[in-house]
Amino acid sequence: MRILSAGDEFVGNDLLKAAVRAELSGTNTDVEFRELSLPWPIEPFGPVAEVNEASGTEEQVIGALDGAEVAVTQMAPFTRRVFEAAPQLKLVSVCRGGPVNIDLAAATEAGVAVTFAPGRNAAAAAEFAVGLLLAAMRRISTSSAELLSGTWRGDYYTYANAGVELEGTTVGLVGFGAIGARVAKVLVAFGAKVLVSDPYADRAAVEAVGAELAELDDLLRRSMAVSLHARLTEETRNLISAEKLALLPHGAVLVNSARGGLLDYAPLPDALRSGRLGAVALDVYDVEPPPADWALRDAPNVIATPHLAGASKQTADRAASIVAAEVGRYVRGEALANVANPDVLTR
């Protein structure tokens, strides 16, 4: 069996191949690997033809496939053109939570199953979100940067400028998937009162972690800190608009480590300068990387990191293991666990 390993600088080909070999060690399958090395994250991802958040080109993928029956990747673009050029392809196993770099309609028409890796970065992203929240509420990052630049901000210990504890504070979580649920558990352990807005969340599951289910507007009005954890869809694009931001209490903290498209960034600088927002902590952006004239560069109380929430060694290891497990199921003729285009199974 020929397998394309299209790794990058995070989930690399060595990881992918080792995981697949380990998974297939108990079978009698002879594997020949083809390799494609992609430049992400050294070079940002972007749209390729009709797919999003991809790295590399259609020409590179088509050339590397070269008769492969299976492909494992995180970022390679699998477009309609790629599928049309690879009639032997039967499975693309993607080691990310949402296979946005795959044209699922084209895959289904070509009879190619596409699998994904839900939850592979849930622990890393949840920890990072809580870290951003703590950093923003307690001025950890901003005071550190000022001290290293030569400014001792003793005034941060004044009552007017002091930070806010998580304990006893109402924190709103927008989204209750694998990441949001973990964040909720951690915040409850800190003693925060946690509200959750998610139209698809099960009330019993929310209450089981000690949180309360609420409508979005109610959550925004009641929360002194809000963290975004929803998946980006047409329904959730610009979910937190200027109108929604205006519902927050004066001085509230906003964290976005989910997807840039969830948030309207335009009103943030003025909201920070006026004190309507006490701080923002961001790991994702409407444009990545932000341009040189990005308005938030000069705004106060901004924490900004370069899309790092999922960047842990364990995430990469786990992602490789998840895609390899799907390859093993395919080889053994077992049902695939996480199929993004289930209609293909009836073909």
Side-chain angles (χ1 to χ4, degrees):
M1 175 183 290
R2 182 170 292 178
I3 298 177
L4 170 62
S5 176
D8 50 59
E9 296 293 327
F10 180 51
V11 185
N13 283 319
D14 287 347
L15 276 180
L16 289 169
K17 291 192 300 179
V20 171
R21 286 195 179 104
E23 179 67 30
L24 299 183
S25 61
T27 70
N28 294 319
T29 305
D30 292 326
V31 175
E32 175 192 352
F33 281 102
R34 298 280 294 172
E35 287 190 32
L36 174 62
S37 296
L38 303 170
W40 185 85
I42 305 305
E43 296 180 12
F45 59 54
V48 176
E50 74 272 19
V51 303
N52 297 311
E53 296 186 15
S55 177
T57 67
E58 293 174 300
E59 290 77 11
Q60 288 174 315
V61 177
I62 291 169
L65 278 166
D66 189 25
E69 182 178 345
V70 171
V72 291
T73 190
Q74 177 174 228
M75 290 288 177
F78 279 80
T79 63
R80 179 172 295 278
R81 181 182 167 204
V82 170
F83 286 115
E84 289 174 349
Q88 74 293 331
L89 191 62
K90 299 301 178 187
L91 172 68
V92 179
S93 192
V94 183
C95 50
R96 59 196 302 186
V100 294
N101 52 314
I102 314 295
D103 184 332
L104 292 178
T108 303
E109 291 172 21
V112 179
V114 178
T115 66
F116 61 107
R120 95 274 187 224
N121 68 349
E127 290 176 1
F128 201 89
V130 174
L132 288 177
L133 189 59
L134 286 167
M137 293 177 69
R138 300 300 304 277
R139 304 187 187 277
I140 295 171
S141 297
T142 50
S143 62
S144 173
E146 288 169 325
L147 178 60
L148 291 172
S149 69
T151 302
W152 179 272
R153 291 295 302 270
D155 61 308
Y156 279 161
Y157 217 116
T158 64
Y159 186 85
N161 293 323
V164 179
E165 299 173 0
L166 273 173
E167 184 170 355
T169 295
T170 299
V171 181
L173 304 180
V174 180
F176 194 73
I179 297 168
R182 284 174 179 260
V183 172
K185 292 178 184 178
V186 174
L187 296 180
V188 168
F190 266 100
K193 178 175 176 56
V194 179
L195 305 179
V196 170
S197 174
D198 186 330
Y200 304 103
D202 178 69
R203 182 178 298 275
V206 171
E207 293 175 352
V209 302
E212 174 189 340
L213 197 60
E215 295 295 328
L216 179 59
D217 287 2
D218 182 45
L219 177 148
L220 294 173
R221 291 189 182 98
R222 295 166 59 190
S223 300
M224 278 306 298
V226 171
S227 186
L228 307 185
H229 300 285
R231 185 166 291 283
L232 182 60
T233 65
E234 288 308 309
E235 181 185 2
T236 61
R237 187 171 297 279
N238 278 342
L239 180 66
I240 307 301
S241 60
E243 178 184 2
K244 297 296 186 186
L245 287 171
L247 299 177
L248 288 166
H250 189 85
V253 168
L254 178 65
V255 174
N256 186 12
S257 57
R259 282 290 182 265
L262 296 172
L263 174 63
D264 182 358
Y265 283 70
L268 297 184
D270 287 344
L272 287 162
R273 292 190 180 96
S274 69
R276 283 281 305 131
L277 280 176
V280 297
L282 306 170
D283 187 51
V284 291
Y285 309 92
D286 46 357
V287 177
E288 294 191 3
D293 60 350
W294 190 43
L296 281 169
R297 291 187 193 278
D298 299 322
N301 301 322
V302 176
I303 298 169
T305 53
H307 205 144
L308 294 179
S312 73
K313 289 180 170 60
Q314 292 92 332
T315 291
D317 293 338
R318 195 178 297 118
S321 295
I322 291 172
V323 297
E326 295 284 31
V327 175
R329 293 183 188 101
Y330 172 78
V331 168
R332 293 187 296 270
E334 300 169 359
L336 300 172
N338 301 294
V339 183
N341 58 337
D343 287 349
V344 78
L345 301 179
T346 63
R347 288 175 173 257

